[in-house]
Amino acid sequence: MEHVFRSDCPINFALEIFGDKWSLLIVRDIVFANKTTYSDFLESNEKIATNILSSRLKRLEETGIIEKRHDSTRKTKTKVTYGLTQRGAELIPVLIEIMLWSGKQREMDDEAQAIIDKAKQDKQVLISELRQKVVA
Amino acid sequence: MEHVFRSDCPINFALEIFGDKWSLLIVRDIVFANKTTYSDFLESNEKIATNILSSRLKRLEETGIIEKRHDSTRKTKTKVTYGLTQRGAELIPVLIEIMLWSGKQREMDDEAQAIIDKAKQDKQVLISELRQKVVA
DNA sequence: CTGTATCCTTAGGGATACTG
DNA sequence: CAGTATCCCTAAGGATACAG
C-alpha cells in the first residue's frame, strides 16, 4: 500500500521520508565519512541498533535515496555496499545547512568544524566536491 | 537534568533538537504561514494533537528556537503568541533547502511552488525577506 | 559480514475531556 | 483561547540471539 501523506507541504513531505532520528545519519555517514557497508554504519558513534539500521536502509532504498551496490570483484563473500542515488545526493545542501546551523549553536569536533569552515568559505565548491565523491 | 547527546556530530545535534515529525512544521507555520498562536498551529493540515503541540512548543522554547510573546495591548484575554528567536530564524536556510529537495521529488501545491520558484530565482533575497518578516 | 527475528521497554501520538 | 490531563494504542528503539 502506498504511503499517504499528512499534507502536500514540501516540508512535511521531506519529514515523512527522512524526518526521524536515524535516516539522515546514514546519509551523513555516506557523504562525509565514506561509509558504505552495514557494519560501517553500525560502528558510528550514535550506536544504531541492528534492527533499526536494517529498517532504515530498507526505507531509504524504497524512497530512492540510497541504493544497494554489489561488489562483483569478489566472489567468496558477497560484499554489499550502499551508495547515494541522484535523489540522495541532492540532500547534500540540506545536510550542509543543518551543519551550519548547528555550528552556530555550539562547538563541534574538529573534523566537523573543518567541514563547516569550508562551507562558510565556499558552499558551492563543497557541494560539488561531495557530490562527485559520492556519485563516483 | 541536561540532555546528553548521542554524539558531537552537528547533524546529530540538530536531529536531537528538531529531528521529529512535528517541530519543523511549527517553525514552518511561523515562517511561511504567519501563524503565531496555539490555535493557529492546531489548524494546520497535518492535524497535530493538542498534547503533542503543547510538548513541542515547550521543547522548542527550551531549546531557544521559539519564544513566547505576550500581547500587552489587550487586557481581557491574554493573547499568547509564539515567535522565532534569532536561533530559530537561522533555521530558514534549512527549511528552504528542504523545500527545494522536495520540490525536485514531486509536484507541490501552488503556494509552496511559488516559494520554491522564488528560492530558485534568488535564495538570498528570499531568506532576507523571511527573516525580516519573522524577526519584526 | 549482512542481515532477521524476538523480546521487552519507552516514547510518540490520537482522541477526548477538562481547566483557568 | 491556551493549554493540561488521561486513556489507550502503536511505533520506535535497545539488547541480544540467530541465520545465510
Side-chain angles (χ1 to χ4, degrees):
Chain A
M1 192 183 122
E2 266 298 295
H3 185 102
V4 177
F5 288 92
R6 298 178 295 185
S7 77
D8 280 334
C9 164
I11 302 290
N12 183 61
F13 175 79
L15 287 176
E16 294 202 32
I17 291 178
F18 57 78
D20 67 280
K21 295 251 185 286
W22 295 107
S23 297
L24 277 188
L25 295 182
I26 295 173
V27 179
R28 169 206 65 181
D29 279 351
I30 298 175
V31 174
F32 297 107
N34 298 311
K35 301 196 172 186
T36 60
T37 70
Y38 190 87
S39 48
D40 282 343
F41 303 134
L42 276 183
E43 285 164 6
S44 291
N45 290 331
E46 295 86 6
K47 297 298 167 213
I48 190 170
T50 57
N51 55 342
I52 306 296
L53 175 56
S54 184
S55 85
R56 289 311 181 284
L57 288 173
K58 201 167 293 175
R59 203 166 71 189
L60 287 172
E61 207 184 341
E62 285 168 1
T63 53
I65 289 174
I66 65 174
E67 62 189 4
K68 265 189 180 175
R69 292 170 189 164
H70 296 272
D71 191 336
S72 52
T73 61
R74 53 179 64 197
K75 302 288 158 26
T76 46
K77 312 246 175 181
T78 47
K79 178 86 172 174
V80 179
T81 65
Y82 293 91
L84 288 192
T85 61
Q86 185 61 33
R87 166 183 289 208
E90 284 163 358
L91 280 173
I92 292 171
V94 174
L95 288 176
I96 290 177
E97 290 300 340
I98 291 174
M99 293 181 75
L100 285 169
W101 183 83
S102 294
K104 288 181 183 173
Q105 315 308 320
R106 64 136 78 174
E107 290 290 311
M108 294 295 155
D109 57 58
D110 290 352
E111 73 178 292
Q113 194 57 52
I115 299 169
I116 291 171
D117 291 342
K118 188 151 189 177
K120 283 183 187 165
Q121 191 197 317
D122 195 332
K123 210 181 285 182
Q124 282 315 313
V125 167
L126 177 59
I127 291 173
S128 305
E129 286 179 5
L130 290 171
R131 176 185 297 272
Q132 276 223 317
K133 192 186 67 179
V134 131
V135 169
Chain B
M1 190 183 125
E2 266 300 294
H3 185 101
V4 176
F5 289 91
R6 297 178 295 185
S7 77
D8 281 334
C9 164
I11 302 290
N12 182 62
F13 175 80
L15 288 176
E16 294 203 34
I17 290 177
F18 57 78
D20 66 278
K21 295 251 186 284
W22 296 107
S23 297
L24 277 188
L25 296 182
I26 295 173
V27 179
R28 170 207 65 182
D29 280 351
I30 298 175
V31 173
F32 296 108
N34 299 310
K35 300 195 172 185
T36 59
T37 71
Y38 191 87
S39 47
D40 282 344
F41 303 134
L42 276 184
E43 285 164 4
S44 291
N45 289 331
E46 295 86 7
K47 297 299 168 211
I48 189 170
T50 57
N51 54 342
I52 306 297
L53 175 57
S54 184
S55 84
R56 287 311 182 282
L57 288 173
K58 202 166 293 176
R59 203 166 70 189
L60 287 171
E61 207 184 342
E62 286 167 359
T63 52
I65 289 174
I66 66 174
E67 62 188 4
K68 264 189 179 174
R69 294 171 188 164
H70 296 272
D71 190 336
S72 51
T73 62
R74 53 180 63 197
K75 302 288 157 30
T76 47
K77 311 246 176 181
T78 48
K79 179 84 171 175
V80 180
T81 65
Y82 292 92
L84 288 192
T85 61
Q86 186 60 34
R87 169 183 286 208
E90 284 163 358
L91 280 173
I92 293 172
V94 174
L95 288 176
I96 289 178
E97 290 300 339
I98 291 175
M99 292 182 75
L100 285 169
W101 182 83
S102 294
K104 288 181 185 173
Q105 316 308 321
R106 62 136 76 173
E107 290 291 310
M108 295 296 154
D109 58 58
D110 290 353
E111 73 178 292
Q113 194 58 51
I115 298 169
I116 291 172
D117 291 342
K118 188 151 189 177
K120 281 182 188 164
Q121 193 196 314
D122 196 331
K123 210 180 285 182
Q124 283 314 315
V125 167
L126 176 60
I127 291 173
S128 305
E129 287 179 6
L130 291 171
R131 175 185 298 271
Q132 276 222 318
K133 192 187 65 179
V134 130
V135 169

